[in-house]
Each structure stands twice: as structure tokens, then as C-alpha cells.
Amino acid sequence: MAADSEPESEVFEITDFTTASEWERFISKIEEVLNDWKLIGISSGKPLEKGIFTTGTWEEKSDEISFADFKFSVTHHYLVQEPSDKDGKEELGEDALPLPMQDLLCMNNDFPPRAHCLVRWYGLREFVVIAPAANNDAVVSESKCNLLLSSISIALGNTGCQVPLFVQIHHKWRRMYVGECQGPGVRTDFEMVHLRKVPSQYTHLSGLLDIFKTKIGCPLTPLPPVSMAIRLTFVLQDWQQYFWPQQPPDIDALVGGEVGGLEFGKLPFGACEDPISELHLATTWPHLAEGIIVDNDVYSDLDPLQAPQWSVRVRKADNPQCLLGDFLTEFFKLCRRKESTDEILGRSAFDEEGKEVADITHALSKLTEPAPVPIPKLSVTNMVHSAKKKIRKHRGVDESPLNNDVLNTILLFLFPDAADKLAEVFENRASTSAGNNPPPESEDYNLFSQFKSAPSDSLTYKLALCLCMINFYHGGVKGVAHLWQEFVLEMRYRWENNYLIPGLANGSPDLRCCLLHQKLQMLNCCIERKKARDEGKRGSMSDRSPGGASGDGAKGGDHSGDNPDKEKEFGKSWDSWSDSEEEFFECLSDTEDLKGNGQENGKKGAKESVNLKPEGRLHPHGKLMLLHPGEPLYVPITQEPAPMTEDLLEEQSEVLAKLGTSAEGAHLRARMQSACLLSDMESFKAANPGCCLEDFVRWYSPRDYIEEEVIDEKGNKVIRGELSARMKIPSNMWVEAWETAKPVPARRQKRLFDDTREAEKVLHYLAVQKPADLARHLLPCIIHAAVLKVKEEEAVEDISSVKKIIKQIISHSSKVLRFPSPEDKKLEEIIAQIMSVEAIIARARSLKAKFGVEKCENEEEKGDLQRFVNSLLEQPEVSVVGAGRGPAGSIIHKLFVNAQRVPAVPPLEEELRRSGSQEERRQGVQSEFPPPTGREVILRTSVPRPAPYSKALPQRMYSVLTREDFRLAGAFSADTTFF
Amino acid sequence: MDEDVLTTLKILIIGESGVGKSSLLLRFTDDTFDPELAATIGVDFKVKTISVDGNKAKLAIWDTAGQERFRTLTPSYYRGAQGVILVYDVTRRDTFVKLDNWLNELETYCTRNDIVQMLVGNKIDKENREVDRNEGLKFARKHSMLFIEASAKTCDGVQCAFEELVEKIIQTPGLWESESQNRGVKLSNKEEGYGGGGACGGYCSML
Ligand SMILES: Nc1nc2c(ncn2[C@@H]2O[C@H](COP(=O)(O)OP(=O)(O)O)[C@@H](O)[C@H]2O)c(=O)[nH]1
Ligand SMILES: [Mg+2]
């Protein structure tokens, strides 16, 4: 019964419709499916509760059947119901109508916020749809439609199935369905009209009532009353005074300070366009009796402001452009760039042998020549200029991706120790931003170990944020390459001039952090050792006395006078160094004469060496005394074990594993790892002249010295001790090492750690990192920062659903990021999750602004409004308490009124509308609202059909009128007993 | 390599020095007890293929020294380990008390949060027991670990300890399979839930 027919495009081809066998087979397949799904027999269930269509769960089951070679999908849609008790079924009796027919009249679930269209149109809780399986297939011709309809009719009749069965006809987008429901002696036909042009009599209630009555063709007079439910929907797109978009922050203004919430060390946040695009207001008259109101082509009583029910939904912009999301996405794109820094900057940026660099380092070394020339203050700006000059030589001046101001600001942000004056400014700033940083030991602060990023107050983390910002605002990958190059030059400068790198925790690389962070820590370890050595050397030049005094000598030596500033700056690490080691390695090779220390090996030397002067003592052990001379046992100053980054450790473990599991392999492995043991033994011997292996073991591996209480000759209890069995094995490696060890204090031992070599390795590693490598190294930091950012923003809004998602993001990220080289797909997932959270928060803010939550002065109302706004985000449709007269209602009303005042529609259209639209011309009280975008009407009654003496049966007609189309969906029931 | 080896598992043995880590490992790999076994320097390494429930697994087992000074070396061996055996000596309470430190270290350095942990109380053949079996059990329960008492000397419980550990690892999804198995959270957007496909999304799609 489609009113307009379309040219058949992809129609379903059945070679011979009269082939009874094909048709019969089709019908029996339908029956089979109905049987399989147990849809046969009396449908049972309780009457529908209010709102159950929204609160309940809908499910669907599908199967595929074919008519000849044309495929159909059969789908059963149903509301999941508690299994109804058997008794209920019995009670229904023979006369009871099938449930679906009862549902037609039920008013508890009109206009559900979200449901299958057939549910909305007919109020059904359960139905089966047969539709062409392929999306662009269609059943168009009338004869074929009829054929399908009669198929389902037969199938229903044969099986006794009471579930309504529909077939979808015409093109899918038209959502045209016809169907049937059967019960004992009753049948309901589901019919539909879908029109593009709306005949004027369908635009108002009185016209619709006429059609309904005509369709019913009720033989009774007067006709039983028709009940009506009406919903008018209004759409608001024009938000007037609520200005959007949020301007992206201006980075150039940053040089002077913070602008637009953008601050170095922070990620930006928020939507650039309104994340809420429309507000839909539905005004509903849920139950009107016929004749109470007037709504015809000249007059209407339907004033939305007076409607008893209001509900609102918002339409969210699909993927609103948001700043944080953009930052993340752009940064992630860097990971896929192939170019090296050289290729990007168009020259050999880090050619370490290159003349350019040689020039520079030469110049620097001149500047930083030790002795008489005072050590210049560290100056990033110098470095910037020299690097920029180099770039200019190769390229046009203007091509330098980062301008000087920006670059200087960033470098000073990263290296606040660089310039005195500015340092103060930045110290202040640093302290404020430290306030924003989560305090150490807090859960947020420790996020770095979960994400394998870097602490949020570290240089690495700051660098990541700067690169992210540069990438977004300043020349993308070029800017990134440029900043990185400056960074690497700064690292080299610091190494060559013994300046510690700021923003890194002391000590060995922290394996919980990303590799790049570890590398920087490693470099810092190298700088620290080199610095100590250089200063120790100078110190011992002025004060040659060996032993503890030299440390203090170095400290009070020449440069503290020369450079008080520097002394102040680095004083802390200096002190901590001298706490732990009062002496400095002089890097003598182990072949050097041992200053007349005649001790050859432990055994022989034990007695002779008692008179030797002890060297390199850290502190007395405490309780322990040496076994033989009875002197206190001293813990020696030892060489720090070589700091290691995870890649070095990995390498080392591979080498060790490669030695295999044979006895020789194991022996070699132990030997390779014994350097540290040997060095410790030598230090121990130097600090404890006359000691023996037992003494060493008591300090180093106390459980290998076994003490026993025994009674001596005089009957006293004494404690006897001896080495454990495994230590006593002749020529085991411990004994062997002990015998080889000479009494040499740590400072004169061969270095276990070659800081020069390791520093060069790190610097080279840094220099060859492509922007893409860099982005991968730092992505965990960026994700870390982004998570902290959304957490911070959420804390302001307090949206519980967001809290939950953030928790999920954190646990997901910590799983993904802790593994080496996580997959791109997973990283993208994390970024998408963060973006969705940003969008939710942005939407909440947009709604809050629109509803003026902040402006609301009454605290109680404010709370209500806030809850209302939150539920708009979380629920598909929210009812407005008090409808048009409640606080939220009056705000919504105002929004519409304001939008009406401004002629948002161009004049021409306005005219068209005025002349063309019935709605506009109609008189009424609704002038403050725009014409409704949708008018829905449900008409219901129960009348006997086809004859006056037939059973009274449910009749229902749903209609919806929008700007584009008009639809009538009728369900007309008839008594079939005598027909 | 064996074709039918299911996977290689990395296992780590930690605990205070002298509790019998190397002896347990030697008992497991070579089924001997060597009273002359030297104290470990740094880390040692052994391989053994076992079959659990018909699955063959190659175990790469890292044995660590345990002394304070060697500890700086070991963190790298925590990385990527699927299983860890934490050993104490039932005749030395101090080795039991130190377990907390070892767990801390484990937490800090291991890269996976689903690593399978087993607590082994060793040297039950000796007379002078200081740590009761129940204490070990309690500790293991508190930290969701497997627990067994063993003796490297008499062979008690050793095979069982390793097998149990491997079985548990194999049962833990995502631990032994490729890392891509690691599922992410799906943030299903409920809004797009019902009526997404061909069905009507309700009234809103009409406007
Ligand atoms: N009685 C007894 N002694 C053991 C046992 N396991 C190890 N030991 C001894 O304990 C000492 C330390 O063992 P070892 O395996 O080297 O300990 P590790 O330092 O933890 O590797 C050695 O002397 C072993 O012989 C055991 O189960 N029973
Ligand atoms: Mg050992």
C-alpha cells in the first residue's frame, strides 16, 4: 500500500512466482524458524509496566532464509521478560486477546526515547521482521509485496504463532513494513503510508481523527471514544549568546607568560567547537480524550508551554574538535614519520666529526678552559645562538622553524638553571607549577611507574610536553627536529663542561621510567663522576695528601672562590657526593705501583700488613671486629656499581645467557660478573689492613659465616665462627678473587665504569634519534600528562561516569605501556579513550553554560539543574520536572524565545515558510516556540469490526509529521470468527 | 629447537643468599644435590624443558645471588619474567622476614602485573626449624602466591614446585601467549547500542 512507487532498482528476482514449490518451501522455512525460536502458541506475559521499554533489555535473534535464490533475514526482536508464571497463562482463558493486540492499547510506553521504530509505532514488546538480507536489496513491486504478505499470513495460520510478523518492503531507508498478527478468531493488520508531500488534512488532529475513523469503518454509532496521545518536538540549534568556539591558545603570547590556559608543562583542554549541537524538546500530552482540545487547520489549543510533560534530549556533535585530543593525535602522528633529524633540517645536524660542530665545541672549550679563566655561567642562550647560526649558514634565515623567543623560552623552561636572572623568574614559576604537580608519593605522582613514562616534574616529562606543543603550533616535525637538536647540543655542552642536568633524580637510571629518561640519567651519572674526578684532581693538586683530607681540600679549593654561583647551584649534589665518598677516583690503571704497599695476597700478607696505613674507610661497621688483629672492622668506600640503562642490562643478560648452561659457561659467567666483587675486596683490604676472607664475608655475605656457641677448655661459653661449607671449597671463585685482590682503595682502582665512553654512547644515541623515535620514547609521558589533565578537569565537574572511564584508561594504559614497543592499534585506542573523556567533559561544560548552572543563585535549584544537566549527558531522554513551569523548563523556554527573536533564517526562506506552511498560519498560543519539527499522534480505540456484533478489538493509528515526510502506521484488528 | 615446545618461559629465583636457591635449581635441572656448590656471583642461568599436562615448555631460569651488593644487577632480570620463585630458609627466620623487601623489589621492576609468584620454604630436612609451615602459608595467601615447602637436599617438593608454577603460568591467559593477546577495555558507547544497524534509532533519527 505504498503510495508512491519508485523505479525498481535492485529488486528481488524470483523466476517464477507461481512455482508452488518455491513458495511453499519459503513458507515452511518461515514456520521452521518460528518453531525453532519457540514462538508458537499462546503468547504470555504481564501487562507492560511504565517505562519498561527504556529500562528493560531488548534482544534480537536472527536467521536467514531464502525465496528461491533471494535471501531474507528473519529477526526476532523482543523485550526480555521475567519468565511468567504458569498460572497466569491458564488465567488468560480462551477469550483473552493475544498479548500484542493488548499492547496496541497500552499507554505506558508511548514515545520511548530509544526503540526499534516498530516499537515506537505500534507499542509492541515482541515481533519478527523478514527483510531482504542485503542492505541494498528491496522488494518493491506490489505483487511481490502481496506475495510476501500472504506468505506470512499462511505461516502464522499454520503455526498458530501469536507474535506479529512483519515484512519490510521498498527501499530500506523508507522503513516501510507491513505485517500481521493472528490469534484465535482475531487478526490485526499492520499497514503503513509514507509520503514525501503532506496532504493538508494530515497536519492537524481533526484531520487525523477523520482518517482513523474512516479506516476503522466502525459500524456503530456513536463511535466509542478515541483516546489521543500527542507529542510535539521542537529543535533548538541556535544557541545565541553562548559564544563558541573556544579559541585555541596563542603560543606566541606564551613567551610573556600564560595565555588561554596554555602553559608550558601543561596540556591544553577543551572543545574548539560546541560539542552540543542541538537540543530537542518534546512536549507531550499523554492522554487526551476526544473533544477536549481543538486542533484544526485554523486554530490550535496545543500550547507547548501548557503541555503536561516535557522531556529533553541533546544531540552531541559527533567528533567535536578538542584541544587535548588534537594534541595527542598530532603527536602520535609523529611516530609514523620516517625522516631523520638531518633530513628534516636539511643538513648534517649532529655530524660529530663535522667541522661545524668541531668549531663550536672548540669555542666552548675555550670558554670553559679550566684554571685561571673563571668558569662562565652556563648559558643556554649562547648555545641557541650558535646553533641558530649553524642553521642559518645552511638555510635561509627565515627557515629556522622555531623563532628565537620561543626557543629561548622553552630552553629556559627545561633548564631553569641556565641563566641567573631568568632563573629566579623560573624558580617562581617552577614552584607554582610544582604546586600543580601531584605531590611525590601520591598515586598520581607514581603514575610514571605504571605508564613507564617519567615523573611529572622531570626534564623528560617537560621535554615531552614542549615537543608536543612545538609539534602542534610551531612547524610540526620541523620544529620538533629543531628543538631536539638544540636539546642534544645542550646535553653535550653540559657533559663537556661538567654541568649536571637538572630535573633528573640522582643515582642510577630508574628502570621504571622510559628509556630516554634512563639515558639522560645515565648521562647525568657520567657528568657527576667526571665532575667529581676533575675536581678531585684539581683538589689533590693543591693538596697532595692522600686519604680523607683531600675531599675537603677539593671542596674548599680554588673554584668555590671563583664561582660562588655555581657552587650554590650544584652545592647539593656536591655535598651528597662528598658524604658518600670522601675521595675521588684518580683513574690509575691497576698496573701502577701500589705506593709501597707490600701486600701480595691475603694469606701471606695477613701478618705483615698489620702496620699498613688503612685507606678508603667509609665508617666502622659497628659491632664487628677483625678476627685477627682485633681492630674494628671498617666498611670501605667502594666503587659504585656501574649505572645501567635497561638496554645495556638487556644486552648484558643476553651475553650472559649465551654462555650456556655448561659448567664452563657458568664459571665464565661468574668470572664476568666478579669485577665488582674483586673491587669490593680490594677496597675492603685497603680499609682493613690485616683482614682475612672471614672478615670480608662477615660484612659482605654474613650468612656464609657460621657461628656456634661452644664450651672452651676453661668451660666458658664462647662463640666460634667459621666460613660456610661453600666458602671453604678450595679454589672457589670467592677464595680465588680474595687471593688476587690487592689492598687498593676504590679511588685508585681501575674504574668499573668508564664514564667517558658511556657518555659518548649516550650522546650518540640521542643524536641519532629521529623525531619518530623521540615521539615513541615520549608518548608514555604525553599519555601520562593527558591522563593527569583529564583527571584534573574531571575533578572540577565531578562526573561519576568519567571517573570510571579514567580508571579504566589508567589500567588499560599501564598494561599497554609497560611492554616494550606497544602496538599502534592499542596506543590509538588509549588516545581515543582520552579523547572521548575530553568530549564528555566539554559537553558537560557546554550544557552547564547553556543552562546557566553557575549563574543560578538558589543553591537547591542549582543542585537540581546540575543533576538535570548530568542526566542529559548520560540518558537518552530526560524528563523536565514541572514541565514548562519548572526551573529547567523556564530556562529552556527562554532559550527558544531568544532563538526566535533573532532572524536566523534568511528572508527568502522566511517568506516561503510564511506562505507555505500550514503551521505558521495557524492561530494559536504557541507563538513563542518555533513550529514543531515533529508532530506525533497516537490514536487508540477499541471497537467491534467488521460487524457491529463482532468482538470489540484494539485499533491504533500512529502518525508522525516532520518537515521531510509523513507517516501513518495503522494496526487494525478484526474478528475473523465468522468471516 | 624442539618443534613441540609450546613456549619459552622466563623464570626468576630470588631470596636471601644461602637459602638454597642454587641448590633448588640444581636439584630441579640435574636432580642432584651438591654440598660443594659455590656461592653464586651475580646471576646464573639454566635451561630445562618440562612437560605439564602434555604441554612442553622450555624454562629459562635465572638464579640470583641475593647479597646486597649484587642486587643492583638483578632488576633487569625481573623484566619480562613470567614466573618468580621466592625462596626462604625455614631454619632461618631472618630470611623469612626479608621476604617483604623482595616483594617490593619485584613489584618495582617486573614489567607485567600478572606475573605468577611462588613461595618456597626450603631446607625442611633440617632439624632446627624456625619458621612454621603455617606462617609461610599465611604469607603466601596474603600476597596471592603459590606455596610449597621443599628440600633441595632430599628432593622433597622441588619438582612439584616448578611444575605447579609452570602450570599456573600456562593457565594465566595472556601471560605466555604473544603479548598481543593482551585485551584492552572496550568502552562501549551505549548510545550507539540499540538500533544501530538497519533498525531505527528511535525518534531522533527522524528529525
Ligand atoms: N640441609 C639442607 N641444606 C641445603 C638445602 N638447600 C641448600 N642447602 C645448603 O645451603 C647452602 C646454600 O645453598 P645455595 O643453594 O648456595 O643457596 P643460595 O645462596 O640461595 O643459592 C649450601 O651449603 C647448601 O648445601 C636443603 O634443602 N637442605
Ligand atoms: Mg646461589
Side-chain angles (χ1 to χ4, degrees):
Chain A
M1 61 175 276
D4 51 346
S5 78
E6 308 259 332
E8 301 198 6
S9 50
E10 283 173 77
V11 251
F12 102 92
E13 296 293 345
I14 296 173
T15 24
D16 186 355
F17 282 146
T18 60
T19 312
S21 59
E22 284 291 2
W23 188 39
E24 278 163 8
R25 212 172 295 151
F26 180 63
I27 293 169
S28 72
K29 271 182 215 150
I30 299 176
E31 292 171 11
E32 215 172 281
V33 172
L34 295 177
N35 260 313
D36 284 352
W37 291 343
K38 305 201 165 47
L39 301 182
I40 309 305
I42 296 167
S43 54
S44 62
K46 299 188 189 96
L48 292 166
E49 286 163 40
K50 192 143 195 82
I52 187 78
F53 282 5
T54 317
T55 55
T57 317
W58 287 88
E59 281 180 6
E60 56 183 72
K61 242 187 250 162
S62 278
D63 206 338
E64 209 165 78
I65 59 174
S66 49
F67 196 133
D69 51 5
F70 189 89
K71 287 203 166 52
F72 286 95
S73 68
V74 189
T75 311
H76 179 213
H77 297 263
Y78 57 99
L79 181 70
V80 180
Q81 299 175 85
E82 295 157 31
S84 64
D85 31 8
K86 270 256 149 59
D87 309 335
K89 211 170 191 174
E90 315 287 272
E91 273 172 34
L92 285 173
E94 277 187 12
D95 283 350
L97 283 176
L99 266 187
M101 294 190 194
Q102 300 178 35
D103 289 351
L104 289 174
L105 294 185
C106 174
M107 298 201 291
N108 282 343
N109 288 281
D110 289 347
F111 316 113
R114 182 174 297 134
H116 189 283
C117 55
L118 288 172
V119 175
R120 189 175 190 87
W121 296 338
Y122 294 118
L124 298 171
R125 73 178 84 183
E126 178 178 31
F127 53 92
V128 173
V129 176
I130 300 178
N135 245 340
N136 45 3
D137 274 345
V139 179
V140 173
S141 85
E142 198 163 340
S143 61
K144 290 168 194 166
C145 294
N146 288 336
L147 186 81
L148 284 175
L149 199 52
S150 50
S151 309
I152 60 168
S153 189
I154 294 169
L156 288 175
N158 287 346
T159 55
C161 166
Q162 296 192 348
V163 177
L165 196 49
F166 288 88
V167 287
Q168 183 166 20
I169 56 175
H170 289 266
H171 294 278
K172 288 217 166 150
W173 60 266
R174 293 193 59 189
R175 292 191 277 150
M176 286 289 291
Y177 299 86
V178 290
E180 196 172 308
C181 176
Q182 292 184 15
V186 287
R187 195 184 73 226
T188 301
D189 291 311
F190 296 92
E191 306 171 6
M192 197 167 289
V193 177
H194 181 224
L195 302 173
R196 300 294 202 84
K197 279 224 178 71
V198 192
S200 64
Q201 71 266 30
Y202 295 160
T203 59
H204 46 77
L205 204 54
S206 55
L208 291 169
L209 269 170
D210 289 345
I211 306 166
F212 185 52
K213 289 174 184 165
T214 320
K215 280 301 291 187
I216 295 170
C218 178
L220 293 184
T221 37
L223 196 72
V226 175
S227 101
M228 308 181 293
I230 303 172
R231 170 177 277 205
L232 304 184
T233 300
F234 301 89
V235 172
L236 182 71
Q237 285 166 312
D238 184 6
W239 295 101
Q240 290 311 313
Q241 68 266 53
Y242 306 103
F243 178 71
W244 214 274
Q246 163 179 345
Q247 291 294 311
D250 171 14
I251 200 199
D252 285 323
L254 263 177
V255 175
E258 309 161 15
V259 166
L262 185 60
E263 195 186 332
F264 280 116
K266 288 222 151 174
L267 290 169
F269 187 90
C272 295
E273 57 184 321
D274 196 336
I276 298 291
S277 53
E278 291 176 359
L279 179 138
H280 296 190
L281 167 67
T283 60
T284 309
W285 290 262
H287 184 35
L288 288 173
E290 203 183 342
I292 284 186
I293 56 139
V294 179
D295 183 53
N296 58 33
D297 58 347
V298 291
Y299 179 82
S300 174
D301 275 335
L302 293 173
D303 177 5
L305 210 52
Q306 305 302 322
Q309 286 178 6
W310 275 27
S311 57
V312 177
R313 63 166 78 219
V314 289
R315 185 139 143 203
K316 298 147 189 167
D318 280 342
N319 290 303
Q321 199 202 345
C322 292
L323 284 171
L324 179 63
D326 283 358
F327 261 60
L328 288 178
T329 316
E330 287 304 313
F331 191 79
F332 183 62
K333 279 187 197 156
L334 274 183
C335 296
R336 302 224 172 93
R337 301 289 298 227
K338 296 266 184 319
E339 309 93 314
S340 69
T341 307
D342 286 358
E343 283 158 3
I344 291 164
L345 296 178
R347 70 214 167 75
S348 169
F350 298 109
D351 186 358
E352 277 154 88
E353 270 82 45
K355 277 178 199 153
E356 304 276 341
V357 179
D359 279 353
I360 269 211
T361 47
H362 188 60
L364 288 173
S365 67
K366 257 190 224 158
L367 278 173
T368 56
E369 205 74 84
V373 187
I375 297 170
K377 284 167 202 145
L378 175 57
S379 162
V380 169
T381 350
N382 282 351
M383 290 308 303
V384 173
H385 284 306
S386 34
K388 282 191 89 75
K389 248 182 273 163
K390 281 190 336 182
I391 295 178
R392 281 195 199 108
K393 272 188 205 161
H394 290 263
R395 309 152 68 232
V397 182
D398 303 328
E399 283 175 67
S400 178
L402 292 180
N403 75 44
N404 246 336
D405 282 348
V406 173
L407 188 56
N408 280 346
T409 314
I410 291 175
L411 287 175
L412 283 170
F413 169 71
L414 294 175
F415 305 106
D417 58 347
D420 277 338
K421 258 196 197 164
L422 285 159
E424 277 169 32
V425 174
F426 268 90
E427 249 158 63
N428 294 340
R429 174 116 33 121
S431 59
T432 52
S433 70
N436 297 331
N437 272 332
E441 300 314 314
S442 79
E443 195 186 320
D444 281 352
Y445 186 83
N446 288 324
L447 211 53
F448 76 86
S449 65
Q450 284 189 54
F451 283 15
K452 208 163 179 359
S453 53
S456 50
D457 51 4
S458 68
L459 173 65
T460 318
Y461 187 92
K462 289 193 209 165
L463 173 69
L465 293 178
C466 288
L467 286 172
C468 190
M469 183 155 22
I470 291 301
N471 179 50
F472 199 78
Y473 284 117
H474 284 274
V477 70
K478 266 194 178 180
V480 167
H482 184 179
L483 176 58
W484 177 241
Q485 179 213 337
E486 296 294 346
F487 187 89
V488 177
L489 284 171
E490 175 74 20
M491 291 299 106
R492 176 164 287 286
Y493 178 85
R494 283 176 184 263
W495 160 244
E496 284 170 358
N497 297 285
N498 293 352
Y499 292 120
L500 287 173
I501 306 163
L504 298 172
N506 287 336
S508 283
D510 187 340
L511 301 181
R512 294 170 300 170
C513 297
C514 68
L515 181 59
L516 191 70
H517 185 80
Q518 294 178 33
K519 294 275 183 192
L520 297 178
Q521 284 188 304
M522 180 74 160
L523 185 59
N524 229 14
C525 288
C526 298
I527 295 172
E528 194 174 331
R529 294 197 186 200
K530 173 163 166 272
K531 185 176 167 225
R533 193 173 56 244
D534 288 355
E535 285 168 8
K537 242 185 230 163
R538 251 176 270 148
S540 62
M541 257 182 265
S542 58
D543 174 12
R544 288 196 172 263
S545 73
S550 78
D552 288 332
K555 199 175 166 191
D558 43 1
H559 22 263
S560 62
D562 287 343
N563 200 346
D565 280 336
K566 197 194 61 58
E567 179 71 21
K568 194 180 77 196
E569 249 158 51
F570 296 118
K572 208 175 159 211
S573 59
W574 223 98
D575 283 340
S576 59
W577 173 266
S578 36
D579 280 346
S580 60
E581 314 231 345
E582 24 190 324
E583 298 170 283
F584 303 99
F585 310 135
E586 286 172 4
C587 192
L588 300 185
S589 84
D590 48 0
T591 57
E592 187 162 323
D593 281 357
L594 293 169
K595 297 196 176 173
N597 193 332
Q599 190 173 12
E600 303 284 13
N601 61 54
K603 271 187 187 162
K604 199 170 81 187
K607 273 175 207 147
E608 303 163 26
S609 58
V610 177
N611 299 326
L612 283 175
K613 195 176 171 197
E615 286 185 275
R617 285 177 167 174
L618 185 61
H619 56 74
H621 183 280
K623 286 173 238 159
L624 294 184
M625 305 292 269
L626 293 186
L627 291 173
H628 297 302
E631 290 265 310
L633 187 151
Y634 277 87
V635 174
I637 294 168
T638 49
Q639 287 204 48
E640 286 294 305
M644 298 271 247
T645 52
E646 69 187 29
D647 54 344
L648 289 178
L649 284 165
E650 199 67 46
E651 241 169 63
Q652 191 198 43
S653 75
E654 255 166 50
V655 169
L656 293 179
K658 279 213 183 90
L659 295 174
T661 53
S662 65
E664 303 86 72
H667 189 76
L668 208 52
R669 191 158 35 236
R671 169 130 301 158
M672 281 176 70
Q673 298 172 89
S674 63
C676 176
L677 179 65
L678 183 68
S679 149
D680 289 345
M681 285 176 167
E682 299 202 324
S683 309
F684 187 83
K685 280 188 176 178
N688 297 290
C691 63
C692 57
L693 179 58
E694 281 85 348
D695 295 320
F696 178 77
V697 164
R698 283 190 300 153
W699 164 55
Y700 208 82
S701 182
R703 266 181 225 97
D704 279 302
Y705 187 74
I706 292 149
E707 290 182 324
E708 256 179 331
E709 245 176 37
V710 289
I711 312 289
D712 68 1
E713 311 89 63
K714 293 169 198 154
N716 296 328
K717 272 189 196 170
V718 287
I719 298 204
R720 281 269 160 78
E722 57 175 339
L723 285 177
S724 67
R726 63 179 185 178
M727 285 294 173
K728 280 197 278 195
I729 303 161
S731 77
N732 81 65
M733 203 166 290
W734 291 66
V735 173
E736 214 174 81
W738 182 255
E739 283 169 359
T740 345
K742 299 165 193 138
V744 183
R747 68 188 170 91
R748 277 193 280 116
Q749 287 170 11
K750 184 180 176 178
R751 274 190 278 158
L752 286 177
F753 176 65
D754 184 345
D755 49 60
T756 314
R757 196 173 137 238
E758 291 307 323
E760 286 303 336
K761 266 164 74 183
V762 171
L763 287 168
H764 176 76
Y765 180 88
L766 297 181
V768 299
Q769 295 302 299
K770 296 173 184 170
D773 303 330
L774 205 53
R776 288 208 184 267
H777 279 302
L778 295 175
L779 193 64
C781 291
I782 295 296
I783 290 175
H784 177 169
V787 166
L788 288 186
K789 187 71 196 175
V790 292
K791 256 188 131 166
E792 178 191 326
E793 302 284 337
E794 186 278 327
V796 181
E797 305 302 328
D798 194 26
I799 311 168
S800 59
S801 65
V802 170
K803 267 195 196 76
K804 237 197 271 159
I805 305 178
I806 292 176
K807 272 210 187 98
Q808 283 177 307
I809 294 177
I810 291 176
S811 81
H812 185 197
S813 305
S814 54
K815 274 188 200 124
V816 170
L817 296 174
R818 272 167 94 168
F819 288 111
S821 44
E823 284 167 45
D824 280 7
K825 212 181 86 227
K826 288 187 183 155
L827 296 171
E828 275 163 10
E829 241 170 64
I830 294 174
I831 292 173
Q833 285 170 2
I834 294 173
M835 287 168 77
S836 78
V837 169
E838 185 183 24
I840 295 173
I841 296 174
R843 282 182 198 126
R845 294 200 171 148
S846 169
L847 282 174
K848 245 171 125 172
K850 290 178 170 67
F851 283 89
V853 175
E854 292 307 328
K855 278 183 274 173
C856 187
E857 273 153 21
N858 181 328
E859 278 305 316
E860 198 182 320
E861 269 180 29
K862 187 172 179 173
D864 288 346
L865 260 184
Q866 180 69 60
R867 271 187 292 282
F868 175 71
V869 163
N870 284 348
S871 41
L872 273 179
L873 285 172
E874 282 161 13
Q875 296 164 20
E877 195 173 286
V878 180
S879 68
V880 180
V881 179
R885 280 169 295 265
S890 62
I891 290 173
I892 296 166
H893 183 210
K894 251 183 240 142
L895 287 170
F896 276 101
V897 171
N898 289 339
Q900 284 296 100
R901 286 211 186 112
V902 184
V905 189
L908 180 67
E909 240 179 90
E910 184 91 40
E911 225 159 87
L912 277 178
R913 207 165 60 164
R914 208 169 289 142
S915 61
S917 164
Q918 194 81 38
E919 203 71 55
E920 286 299 288
R921 275 187 280 123
R922 195 146 14 134
Q923 287 230 329
V925 275
Q926 51 172 289
S927 54
E928 283 177 321
F929 278 92
T933 314
R935 280 175 73 94
E936 287 169 283
V937 175
I938 302 173
L939 303 177
R940 275 173 283 226
T941 189
S942 189
V943 297
R945 279 180 78 217
Y949 50 84
S950 302
K951 236 188 286 187
L953 293 170
Q955 318 294 337
R956 169 184 171 122
M957 190 179 81
Y958 166 93
S959 83
V960 55
L961 170 68
T962 70
R963 291 244 165 93
E964 286 83 38
D965 61 355
F966 172 74
R967 185 184 305 268
L968 282 179
F972 303 107
S973 317
D975 189 337
T976 55
T977 316
F978 304 108
F979 296 90
Chain B
M1 288 271 151
D2 301 50
E3 282 302 312
D4 52 356
V5 166
L6 172 72
T7 182
T8 299
L9 301 176
K10 180 173 172 183
I11 289 167
L12 193 66
I13 308 184
I14 56 178
E16 293 293 301
S17 112
V19 296
K21 298 181 295 297
S22 306
S23 301
L24 283 169
L25 182 54
L26 186 68
R27 169 60 80 189
F28 175 62
T29 56
D30 299 26
D31 198 19
T32 58
F33 180 74
D34 178 5
E36 303 265 277
L37 194 60
T40 312
I41 293 176
V43 292
D44 199 10
F45 172 74
K46 283 196 187 300
V47 179
K48 177 162 175 154
T49 302
I50 65 165
S51 98
V52 176
D53 296 342
N55 297 315
K56 270 197 174 169
K58 185 173 141 192
L59 310 184
I61 309 163
W62 291 89
D63 176 24
T64 58
Q67 283 94 348
E68 205 69 51
R69 286 287 290 172
F70 288 124
R71 286 218 197 149
T72 43
L73 278 174
T74 39
S76 60
Y77 299 96
Y78 288 82
R79 289 163 42 79
Q82 286 110 329
V84 65
I85 297 176
L86 179 49
V87 188
Y88 67 95
D89 178 346
V90 296
T91 68
R92 305 214 45 167
R93 174 156 292 278
D94 58 328
T95 65
F96 182 73
V97 171
K98 286 278 174 67
L99 290 177
D100 277 319
N101 291 1
W102 287 103
L103 281 185
N104 265 343
E105 199 151 313
L106 191 63
E107 172 132 349
T108 308
Y109 295 115
C110 81
T111 47
R112 18 192 18 140
N113 20 23
D114 46 1
I115 187 167
V116 178
Q117 304 171 7
M118 167 165 273
L119 183 64
V120 175
N122 191 34
K123 305 198 191 177
I124 50 170
D125 57 287
K126 288 175 83 174
E127 304 278 272
N128 49 338
R129 187 192 265 269
E130 286 183 7
V131 185
D132 192 60
R133 180 165 194 277
N134 279 330
E135 292 179 76
L137 255 175
K138 223 172 104 192
F139 185 91
R141 187 174 307 136
K142 181 172 163 202
H143 296 96
S144 343
M145 308 167 85
L146 300 167
F147 174 70
I148 196 166
E149 287 196 333
S151 162
K153 191 170 179 181
T154 63
C155 197
D156 262 331
V158 178
Q159 192 70 19
C160 187
F162 281 89
E163 277 171 10
E164 192 96 351
L165 182 74
V166 171
E167 195 168 340
K168 186 83 184 183
I169 292 172
I170 289 176
Q171 281 165 7
T172 307
L175 199 50
W176 58 276
E177 300 139 322
S178 74
E179 282 170 356
S180 63
Q181 293 280 324
N182 188 11
R183 287 165 306 254
V185 248
K186 285 275 171 314
L187 293 177
S188 70
N189 199 342
K190 270 200 183 152
E191 282 170 27
E192 267 83 60
Y194 190 72
C200 151
Y203 187 67
C204 52
S205 59
M206 219 176 285
L207 296 180

